[in-house]
Amino acid sequence: MIRLSFITPLALILLTLLPALWAFTLLTPRRLAPWRFWSSLALRSVILAALVLAIAGAQIVLPVREVTTVFLIDVSDSMTPAQRERALQYVNDALAAMPAGDRAAVVVFGENALVERAPGPIGALGRLSSTPMTTRTNLQEAVQLGLALFPAETQKRLVLISDGGENAGRVADAAQLASIRKVPIDVVYLPGERGPDVIVAGLSAPAVVREGQDIIVQANISSNYATGGRLQTFVDGQLIGEQELSIPEGSSTVDIRVPSGETGFRRLEVRLDADGDTEPQNNRGAAFTEVQGPPRLLLIASDESRAANLRNALLAAGVRVDLLPPSQAPATLAQLGAYAGVMIVDTPAREMPRTLLEALPAYVRELGRGLAMVGGVDSFGAGGYRRTPLEPMLPVLLDPLDTKQQPDLALVMVIDRSGSMAEPVAGGRRNKLDLAKEAVYQASLGLTPIDQVGLVVFDDTANWVLQLQPLPSMVEIERALGSFGIGGGTNIRPGIEQAALALASTDAKIKHVLLLTDGIAESNYSDLIAQMRASGITISTVAVGLDANPNLVDVANAGGGRSYRVTSIDEVPRIFLQETIIAAGRDIIEQPIEPQLGLSSPIIRSLGGLPPLYGYNGTEVREAARTLLLTPDGKPLLAQWQYGLGRVVAWTSDTQGRWARDWIAWDRFPQFAGGLADLLLPPRESGLLELRATAAGPRAFLELIAQDEQGRPLNNLAIAGRAVDPQNQGATVQFQQIGPGRYRAAVDTPSPGVYLAQVAASDAEGRQIGVAVTGIVVSYSLEYSAQRENLPLLTEVASISRGRINPSPETAFASPNQEVGSVREIGFPLLWLALILWPLDIAARRVMLRLEDVAPWLERLRRRRPSVVAAPEASATMTRLGTAKRRATAARPSSISVERSGIDAPTVPQTVVPTDQASQGRAPAPPPQTTEQRARPTATRPEAAEEQFARLLAAKQRARRKSEDR
């Protein structure tokens, strides 16, 4: 049915102006002929209505009967090849019966959804070319994509072809959206066809065990046939045993005994190799157990000697310690979870694995563990930790707050890119120029926002790669480093000259050039070095290889800088950072200082008098941090703050003989080291918290049991929970009390991997009860679980959206009888209509035209045509009028002459026409004329006589109409 719709319906209120127009027009005096009056009113009404409808955005909606059907085909791993063929055959049968004018589209989906065919008059499908991820089934994404594909002006229908085994998303939410849009979802259920399959349905282990106890693990196995196999057991990735099994049909369990090992998390895993199994993806199971005992700390040091004193002091304080280099340190949350805290001891950031740097923030923030950074020449800003994931975690700022007291640096690096820099290093994966670029990047980590940096590269000529400018973002620096490659010869002078000119025009307090080259070049720039030194610009040189120019040492000495000769290009990045730090002179302060007490702390009060220090890393304390020790000028030495659920500590001096030699020899240094460990660790538990996790489908359930030392339940606790997914992304977990001392929460576990959960409980007064941590391992996707089909879910989807279950292919394009229309805008045509009618309205009111003005030839034709009938009465009337005319003409001259002469005119006797004569139509006899009248000729013009005759005739007609009205 054709109907009207409006973009702005509120504008239709203006139609109330029509009654006002009619009332005003009808109540005012009329000065127009009736036909003009009513025509003008009608035209004005139409014009006003057209304008109002145009303002309201009037549209004509034409009914649409064409149907677009989108087929959603499940191609996840739970769908066997036979099921996929059945789905494809169903779609082809439906396309064969598609009526002319209808359209179809095809979407294939697994974990994600892809468009196989866009809406249109498509033909039969040969095979499906789109390849979504098939390890999960996300029906919701498929339905949402199908809804987005529909053209606007069409009837709409979705056909979902699947086994219903949803294990990602919520298709019920998408079905609600389809119901709101009145799009039915027809479901075609394809039940699974499984072969021989053995499944490790789960692995059960106690949440907590004591150190020294054995862990009793129970593996749950499900099989649809009887077979045999071999079961392997792993602890923290290490194989500890295997056994042969006889696997019966149905469900069975296997008990495994595992030693607990040291304090921390134990990741337990079993792997089953079954004879005749067709799906090995689901033959794994894993669980977590926490082994409780004395806490362990992980010390990370690139040079073991730098952490030896601290390790010995911690051991003396009764703390368990593992000392590892960065390359061997655990880099995942599951592995880090074995430690209560991590200390990074004088280790540069470039030697820390990227995965470890990214895992440590979640380790502290989400799991509530501790982190400490111990100072030295390769720590804090001097170690290149600016703009790394660890910088926001530290309780100190690496950049100075008071820039007026800190010198700013303008640094220009001049890098050799000659052909010799193409020599491969580090096993052939990179060349010298690649490491030179990394050195530039490392040098930028030693700069602050108040500094300036530039980069010049040279071969036989020199070019700016990064103009001297305030420190840009890391993205801009990396883009500049990627913009150049290997060049030709070697000419150092142009590069130094470009750097000197740029530095001469800047107002930085410190101006420095850093030159790197690996070859011999002409020493033709000694005059430049002298000029630079005179203007306050220093230069340091880095000579790579034995064949580098030996004169570079003299260049550095003359330029007031330092000279480095390296035989291994791998040392260059460290040297560049070190040189930047030395040139800036703010990250390392070496001078004797007396530590000052800051905020009161038990570990500091118990130490008594503190020995002096001989250096520290320059930092600034954050506002929210606690400064326990500081320098005489207020810079932090020992600071701590809360980061998420965990704690972070910064000790800005070292623990070796360079700056803290008096502290190492101090008899209370082990007590100080133990205090550092106490600052890291969470408060000791005053009660007992046990956190258990149970995986159930795409979710896991956490259960917390809270008791005091006497075993009494702790109720009404405030519980803060966090869960961390395999990508180290944290989410809040909400707990509810379900019984005395028992609390429960649910966690989404959509993808395989390790999930860690941590809770911190406190009582009504805010006192912390304790912290508990557990892990959840999702070994494989639910796509390979025992329960894959879900017909009730598909039935619910069809019910919500008012769709059909298992419709025949021939009805896939049946009209769903939706109120869909094709919209046509009529706003502009209405405006044109108003514009056209407006001149007609003006014409109806203002333009007065006679027939002879429009078509004079019609008037002439009318006059020439003789009368058809000569009525006797009309002839008599014309005779009387002619007599009267002659009488009036004869009388007019004498009257005029008498008036002109000034003589009274003689009275002319009037002739009275007898009544009987008048009634009989006879003309009265003319009065007798005088001699003068008879002698004067009549001089009447024919035009005047004709005009007078017309007036008399008109007067006669008016008199007749009046007599008839009476």
Side-chain angles (χ1 to χ4, degrees):
M1 179 179 178
I2 300 177
R3 56 188 176 88
L4 278 177
S5 67
F6 302 95
I7 299 175
T8 313
L10 191 62
L12 295 177
I13 297 176
L14 296 175
L15 289 176
T16 56
L17 296 175
L18 281 174
L21 172 65
W22 296 336
F24 177 79
T25 305
L26 294 174
L27 294 177
T28 55
R30 305 180 189 176
R31 298 184 177 87
L32 297 175
W35 71 271
R36 292 179 181 271
F37 173 82
W38 292 109
S39 299
S40 176
L41 179 60
L43 288 171
R44 289 187 177 187
S45 300
V46 173
I47 291 172
L48 179 59
L51 292 175
V52 172
L53 293 177
I55 293 173
Q59 299 172 325
I60 294 178
V61 181
L62 304 175
V64 174
R65 297 302 175 199
E66 291 79 12
V67 178
T68 297
T69 299
V70 178
F71 297 93
L72 312 175
I73 304 178
D74 187 352
V75 295
S76 62
D77 286 345
S78 64
M79 298 280 289
T80 63
Q83 288 173 284
R84 298 184 188 184
E85 286 297 325
R86 287 165 53 195
L88 194 60
Q89 185 61 45
Y90 181 94
V91 174
N92 284 332
D93 291 345
L95 293 176
M98 181 173 62
D102 287 357
R103 287 174 281 184
V106 178
V107 171
V108 296
F109 69 94
E111 185 175 351
N112 59 326
L114 300 175
V115 178
E116 174 72 17
R117 296 287 182 88
I122 65 177
L125 300 177
R127 63 182 182 86
L128 300 176
S129 58
S130 300
T131 55
M133 293 180 286
T134 59
T135 55
R136 299 182 74 82
T137 301
N138 192 331
L139 300 175
Q140 179 182 8
E141 185 168 343
V143 172
Q144 290 176 342
L145 179 57
L147 291 174
L149 286 179
F150 282 118
E153 299 177 353
T154 181
Q155 302 276 327
K156 305 171 181 65
R157 182 182 295 278
L158 288 173
V159 178
L160 175 60
I161 308 173
S162 174
D163 59 2
E166 179 183 53
N167 45 55
R170 284 180 51 83
V171 70
D173 295 341
Q176 292 286 356
L177 178 60
S179 177
I180 293 172
R181 297 183 181 180
K182 298 181 180 180
V183 178
I185 304 176
D186 296 344
V187 296
V188 178
Y189 174 58
L190 298 180
E193 301 171 358
R194 295 172 55 191
D197 190 16
V198 178
I199 299 175
V200 177
L203 190 67
S204 301
V208 178
V209 297
R210 296 295 177 183
E211 192 175 41
Q213 294 179 340
D214 285 344
I215 306 172
I216 306 301
V217 182
Q218 189 175 71
N220 301 315
I221 300 174
S222 175
S223 177
N224 59 6
Y225 70 108
T227 185
R230 185 174 63 258
L231 185 68
Q232 296 177 321
T233 304
F234 296 81
V235 176
D236 296 334
Q238 300 295 321
L239 177 65
I240 64 168
E242 60 182 11
Q243 61 188 102
E244 296 292 331
L245 294 179
S246 176
I247 305 172
E249 183 177 356
S251 299
S252 59
T253 60
V254 178
D255 292 334
I256 307 168
R257 183 178 294 272
V258 177
S260 61
E262 295 181 338
T263 301
F265 273 125
R266 296 278 84 77
R267 182 184 178 186
L268 313 172
E269 184 180 3
V270 295
R271 301 175 187 175
L272 178 60
D273 183 12
D275 299 334
D277 189 10
T278 58
E279 293 191 26
Q281 298 94 330
N282 52 19
N283 291 4
R284 291 187 175 191
F288 263 105
T289 293
E290 182 181 7
V291 180
Q292 292 185 345
R296 280 199 305 159
L297 293 181
L298 172 63
L299 268 63
I300 299 176
S302 57
D303 184 350
E304 183 178 345
S305 63
R306 298 183 182 183
N309 295 324
L310 180 59
R311 178 187 60 184
N312 295 334
L314 289 170
L315 291 174
V319 181
R320 295 187 178 185
V321 178
D322 290 343
L323 176 58
L324 297 174
S327 59
Q328 299 179 16
T332 66
L333 286 183
Q335 296 169 335
L336 288 170
Y339 297 97
V342 175
M343 290 185 172
I344 302 174
V345 184
D346 197 12
T347 298
R350 66 180 299 267
E351 296 190 17
M352 296 282 288
R354 187 68 186 179
T355 53
L356 177 59
L357 290 176
E358 293 174 348
L360 284 173
Y363 169 78
V364 177
R365 183 182 61 244
E366 312 295 349
L367 298 186
R369 303 307 172 90
L371 173 70
M373 181 171 286
V374 177
V377 293
D378 286 325
S379 189
F380 294 100
Y385 283 92
R386 290 185 176 90
R387 296 176 291 282
T388 67
L390 296 192
E391 182 186 15
M393 299 176 57
L394 299 175
V396 294
L397 297 169
L398 304 185
D399 294 330
L401 295 177
D402 188 359
T403 58
K404 295 182 180 178
Q405 298 180 4
Q406 299 290 340
D408 57 333
L409 168 67
L411 173 67
V412 177
M413 290 168 277
V414 182
I415 304 299
D416 185 354
R417 69 176 187 120
S418 62
S420 59
M421 293 293 286
E423 180 182 338
V425 294
R429 295 187 303 272
R430 297 184 294 177
N431 56 34
K432 290 182 179 179
L433 186 61
D434 293 332
L435 285 177
K437 292 179 180 181
E438 183 181 342
V440 173
Y441 181 85
Q442 290 294 324
S444 69
L445 297 178
L447 300 174
T448 68
I450 65 173
D451 298 326
Q452 300 177 56
V453 64
L455 175 60
V456 177
V457 295
F458 68 89
D459 44 14
D460 38 18
T461 60
N463 298 289
W464 282 98
V465 173
L466 186 68
Q467 292 286 341
L468 184 62
Q469 60 185 288
L471 181 65
S473 66
M474 291 294 100
V475 175
E476 294 180 66
I477 293 176
E478 291 178 356
R479 185 183 299 117
L481 293 176
S483 65
F484 66 95
I486 298 296
T490 304
N491 187 0
I492 298 177
R493 181 182 177 93
I496 297 179
E497 190 172 25
Q498 295 270 20
L501 289 174
L503 290 172
S505 60
T506 186
D507 57 355
K509 298 182 179 67
I510 301 174
K511 305 176 183 180
H512 191 63
V513 175
L514 185 54
L515 170 66
L516 179 144
T517 182
D518 73 333
I520 296 178
E522 184 179 356
S523 300
N524 57 353
Y525 46 87
S526 57
D527 57 326
L528 283 177
I529 303 301
Q531 296 173 12
M532 291 164 56
R533 186 68 175 138
S535 60
I537 302 174
T538 57
I539 182 171
S540 295
T541 60
V542 179
V544 180
L546 298 176
D547 56 348
N549 195 335
N551 293 334
L552 292 177
V553 176
D554 299 332
V555 170
N557 293 334
R562 289 151 296 279
S563 176
Y564 304 89
R565 177 175 290 277
V566 295
T567 56
S568 174
I569 188 69
D570 291 340
E571 301 176 22
V572 171
R574 179 186 60 81
I575 291 174
F576 264 54
L577 176 59
Q578 177 184 339
E579 179 64 22
T580 304
I581 292 167
I582 294 173
R586 55 174 167 253
D587 284 326
I588 295 178
I589 295 91
E590 294 188 300
Q591 60 186 27
I593 59 169
E594 295 291 335
Q596 307 294 315
L597 294 178
L599 295 176
S600 177
S601 174
I603 68 168
I604 301 300
R605 288 198 306 268
S606 62
L607 295 178
L610 301 176
L613 293 169
Y614 298 94
Y616 63 95
N617 293 97
T619 60
E620 298 280 354
V621 68
R622 295 184 188 269
E623 290 186 5
R626 301 171 61 237
T627 307
L628 307 181
L629 290 176
L630 55 138
T631 66
D633 59 351
K635 303 301 180 182
L637 287 175
L638 179 61
Q640 179 211 42
W641 78 335
Q642 191 77 19
Y643 183 73
L645 297 176
R647 299 175 176 181
V648 184
V649 176
W651 169 248
T652 61
S653 191
D654 64 9
T655 56
Q656 51 181 325
R658 181 164 181 167
W659 295 342
R661 51 183 177 268
D662 292 350
W663 284 62
I664 296 170
W666 188 29
D667 59 353
R668 294 192 176 181
F669 183 63
Q671 184 179 350
F672 172 73
L676 285 179
D678 290 339
L679 289 176
L680 288 182
L681 301 178
R684 300 190 181 276
E685 301 176 2
S686 59
L688 177 64
L689 298 180
E690 182 180 354
L691 186 61
R692 301 174 180 173
T694 304
R699 311 187 82 188
F701 293 96
L702 302 176
E703 187 171 340
L704 177 68
I705 301 174
Q707 299 175 338
D708 61 12
E709 289 84 352
Q710 288 75 37
R712 294 172 298 188
L714 299 176
N715 298 320
N716 302 319
L717 297 181
I719 300 176
R722 299 283 293 176
V724 185
D725 64 16
Q727 288 74 41
N728 295 339
Q729 300 299 316
T732 302
V733 179
Q734 300 293 335
F735 279 83
Q736 292 183 344
Q737 187 166 359
I738 59 174
R742 300 173 69 89
Y743 304 83
R744 196 176 189 186
V747 178
D748 290 331
T749 54
S751 57
V754 177
Y755 296 80
L756 296 178
Q758 191 262 11
V759 297
S762 56
D763 58 19
E765 287 76 23
R767 295 189 300 268
Q768 190 166 12
I769 302 300
V771 176
V773 182
T774 192
I776 308 160
V777 181
V778 180
S779 301
Y780 52 84
S781 170
L782 292 176
E783 196 71 20
Y784 314 108
S785 63
Q787 182 61 41
R788 307 179 190 181
E789 299 82 16
N790 196 343
L791 178 58
L793 177 63
L794 295 179
T795 303
E796 180 186 3
V797 169
S799 175
I800 291 173
S801 63
R802 296 178 178 84
R804 302 170 296 179
I805 300 176
N806 293 328
S808 62
E810 294 77 14
T811 63
F813 292 90
S815 174
N817 296 320
Q818 298 161 344
E819 294 183 0
V820 181
S822 176
V823 178
R824 299 292 183 267
E825 299 282 350
I826 60 172
F828 279 106
L830 288 172
L831 290 176
W832 278 109
L833 176 62
L835 186 62
I836 292 171
L837 294 182
W838 178 49
L840 297 180
D841 173 51
I842 295 175
R845 292 182 290 107
R846 300 293 183 184
V847 178
M848 304 295 182
L849 294 177
R850 294 180 298 178
L851 183 62
E852 55 269 23
D853 296 331
V854 178
W857 58 275
L858 288 176
E859 178 63 19
R860 290 193 297 269
L861 181 62
R862 183 183 63 79
R863 289 181 181 177
R864 293 175 182 174
R865 187 172 56 187
S867 299
V868 179
V869 180
E873 184 177 354
S875 300
T877 301
M878 294 299 294
T879 303
R880 288 197 301 273
L881 290 174
T883 304
K885 173 183 176 183
R886 287 192 296 271
R887 193 167 50 248
T889 303
R892 185 179 304 159
S894 60
S895 301
I896 294 174
S897 61
V898 172
E899 290 176 2
R900 288 178 179 176
S901 62
I903 303 173
D904 294 337
T907 300
V908 179
Q910 297 183 357
T911 303
V912 180
V913 180
T915 304
D916 57 347
Q917 294 180 3
S919 61
Q920 294 177 5
R922 294 192 299 271
Q929 297 181 350
T930 62
T931 305
E932 183 180 0
Q933 290 174 341
R934 287 194 297 267
R936 184 179 303 150
T938 301
T940 302
R941 294 179 295 109
E943 296 81 356
E946 184 177 353
E947 182 180 356
Q948 187 177 12
F949 178 77
R951 286 198 299 270
L952 291 174
L953 178 59
K956 176 68 175 179
Q957 292 173 348
R958 285 196 299 271
R960 178 176 295 176
R961 284 196 299 270
K962 289 181 180 179
S963 62
E964 290 175 353
D965 292 340
R966 295 195 186 105

